[in-house]
Amino acid sequence: MTEFLWRLPTQGDGRHAGPAARNRGGFGGPSRVTPATDVRPGQFGPFDDLHQIVNAAELSGLDGVLAPYDPLGEESWIVAGGALRATRHARVIVEFQPAFGTPVYAAKVSATLQQISRGRLSWRIAVETGEADARARGDRVTGDERYARAAEFLTVARGVWNETPVPGAGFKGTGFEFDGEHYDVIDGGFRGILSGLPFPTVYLSGTSAQALELSARHGDVHVFTETPDGITASVTELRERAVAAGRTVRAGLEIPIIARETEQEAWARAHRQWREVHPEDPSNALDLGDGRWAGFAELGYSQPVGLVGSYEQVAQRLSAYIDAGIESFVLVGHPHIEEVHRTGEHLLYLVDPAGRTLAAQEATA
């Protein structure tokens, strides 16, 4: 069954394209006075809004959520922990950069989160962060060396992890040794309550040769983003590199969507938001055909190219990606709660009818 995830907001949410107007969750200035579960001033904050989105994703039938790495937004590890605590079935992917901490520390934090969530945590490693972001974090690793560090990070994290239970023995490890350029481990390895847990599924991204090679050797899912030229060539290269490494890596796609009952309604929504940020600049030139539109970055999304159309049209496009080898999707739309419900109620069953439609015995249970 194809996997469908939802990218969570980390800097507020709202109906409008301008960031100052996306004030749900306490970002972007004062929010409008609206009824809330707790009406006391200041009691409805960012995590109340996030939890509503997380719950909406699980109730709408999505498989999980992505807590993205955002240097200017909420900390992804905290968001992921809150999402795991608030759900029962949804998978939660935490995105972080390798300078977050040592791989042993990241693995230990994850082992605890796997314990409380019964194995629902996954990782997405953000290797290609901006230079200004890296400097602000005190991270001096740059260029191709970032990929060498990420490879060591994943090697060490997997090395200290034991998916089979190992009895505790004080501070004694399980004999894992590593002597690398970035990390050194002597007698590492988890025991006791930190052992016997599934290692997080590893998601990676990027289209450079280094990014694809890292995924081929260390990743489980490689997440692409749509481009005007498409993703076919990159997916093919990933497959070739994975085969050469003797591994299988699933291909994923992160893509924003605007889907409505009719094509006209969807495009009206896209053009209306575009005019909020570019009132004098027409958006028709950004139409790439096949329902693809290159104006999403201007509307506050992290990717420029996404899908616009009726539910049937967007479903057909997603199905075409599946036929091309995509096995995991990270979808996103603004405002999140409303778009999550639209996706779950009107879109997913069109894309994946076998996996998203109740069987007769389930419907009558």
Side-chain angles (χ1 to χ4, degrees):
M1 186 173 72
T2 306
E3 176 183 64
F4 289 91
L5 309 168
W6 192 266
R7 181 188 178 98
L8 297 175
T10 54
Q11 294 191 49
D13 187 21
R15 294 182 178 277
H16 300 285
R22 295 198 297 271
N23 49 31
R24 291 187 190 177
F27 285 88
S31 59
R32 297 177 182 176
V33 178
T34 57
T37 303
D38 190 337
V39 298
R40 292 174 297 172
Q43 296 302 307
F44 188 84
F47 275 82
D48 296 287
D49 183 63
L50 277 170
H51 281 176
Q52 287 185 351
I53 298 168
V54 170
N55 289 333
E58 184 170 57
L59 292 172
S60 298
L62 285 127
D63 298 301
V65 295
L66 166 68
Y69 169 72
D70 183 349
L72 302 178
E74 302 287 4
E75 171 54 45
S76 59
W77 282 96
I78 307 302
V79 173
L84 288 169
R85 185 67 181 87
T87 54
R88 297 179 60 189
H89 308 289
R91 291 191 286 279
V92 177
I93 296 90
V94 56
E95 185 178 31
F96 62 99
Q97 37 76 28
F100 160 79
T102 70
V104 179
Y105 177 66
K108 184 179 180 182
V109 170
S110 299
T112 299
L113 291 174
Q114 293 292 52
Q115 191 80 262
I116 67 173
S117 68
R118 296 187 176 182
R120 293 186 286 120
L121 178 73
S122 297
W123 285 358
R124 179 164 163 176
I125 310 299
V127 181
E128 293 185 358
T129 59
E131 292 185 10
D133 171 35
R135 289 196 299 269
R137 290 186 280 103
D139 186 0
R140 298 182 178 180
V141 178
T142 60
D144 293 348
E145 193 64 22
R146 296 174 297 175
Y147 288 95
R149 178 179 63 181
E152 287 192 10
F153 186 99
L154 290 168
T155 298
V156 171
R158 292 186 189 275
V160 299
W161 197 283
N162 288 305
E163 293 194 334
T164 56
V166 180
F171 289 104
K172 182 177 175 60
T174 57
F176 175 73
E177 307 279 340
F178 187 84
D179 182 12
E181 291 295 323
H182 299 276
Y183 307 105
D184 295 291
V185 180
I186 299 174
D187 190 26
F190 294 161
R191 292 175 172 269
I193 61 173
L194 297 179
S195 65
L197 301 163
F199 189 79
T201 299
V202 175
Y203 293 72
L204 294 165
S205 60
T207 56
S208 67
Q210 297 89 338
L212 295 175
E213 187 65 20
L214 179 67
S215 275
R217 296 185 177 278
H218 297 278
D220 299 309
V221 184
H222 189 93
V223 182
F224 296 95
T225 57
E226 182 59 288
T227 69
D229 296 327
I231 60 172
T232 303
S234 296
V235 172
T236 300
E237 184 178 353
L238 172 68
R239 303 281 193 218
E240 293 172 349
R241 289 178 179 273
V243 169
R247 302 182 69 247
T248 300
V249 181
R250 291 184 289 149
L253 178 66
E254 182 170 346
I255 190 165
I257 58 172
I258 297 177
R260 294 293 187 270
E261 290 287 347
T262 67
E263 180 182 13
Q264 292 75 16
E265 186 181 356
W267 281 109
R269 168 67 173 169
H271 296 323
R272 185 165 57 249
Q273 286 202 307
W274 178 266
R275 286 193 295 270
E276 290 182 18
V277 292
H278 296 291
E280 305 299 329
D281 186 13
S283 59
N284 295 331
L286 299 174
D287 187 353
L288 303 176
D290 297 327
R292 298 183 305 149
W293 186 60
F296 279 94
E298 298 293 321
L299 307 185
Y301 294 86
S302 57
Q303 298 85 28
V305 181
L307 301 179
V308 180
S310 68
Y311 295 123
E312 290 78 9
Q313 290 171 329
V314 173
Q316 289 170 3
R317 186 62 189 174
L318 293 175
S319 296
Y321 287 125
I322 294 173
D323 293 339
I326 297 299
E327 299 178 63
S328 175
F329 289 95
V330 181
L331 304 178
V332 63
H334 302 160
H336 287 260
I337 294 177
E338 291 90 329
E339 296 303 320
V340 163
H341 281 297
R342 285 191 175 98
T343 298
E345 294 171 12
H346 302 290
L347 183 62
L348 291 190
Y349 79 94
L350 294 174
V351 185
D352 186 18
R356 309 290 161 173
T357 305
L358 290 176
Q361 62 270 26
E362 294 174 309
T364 58

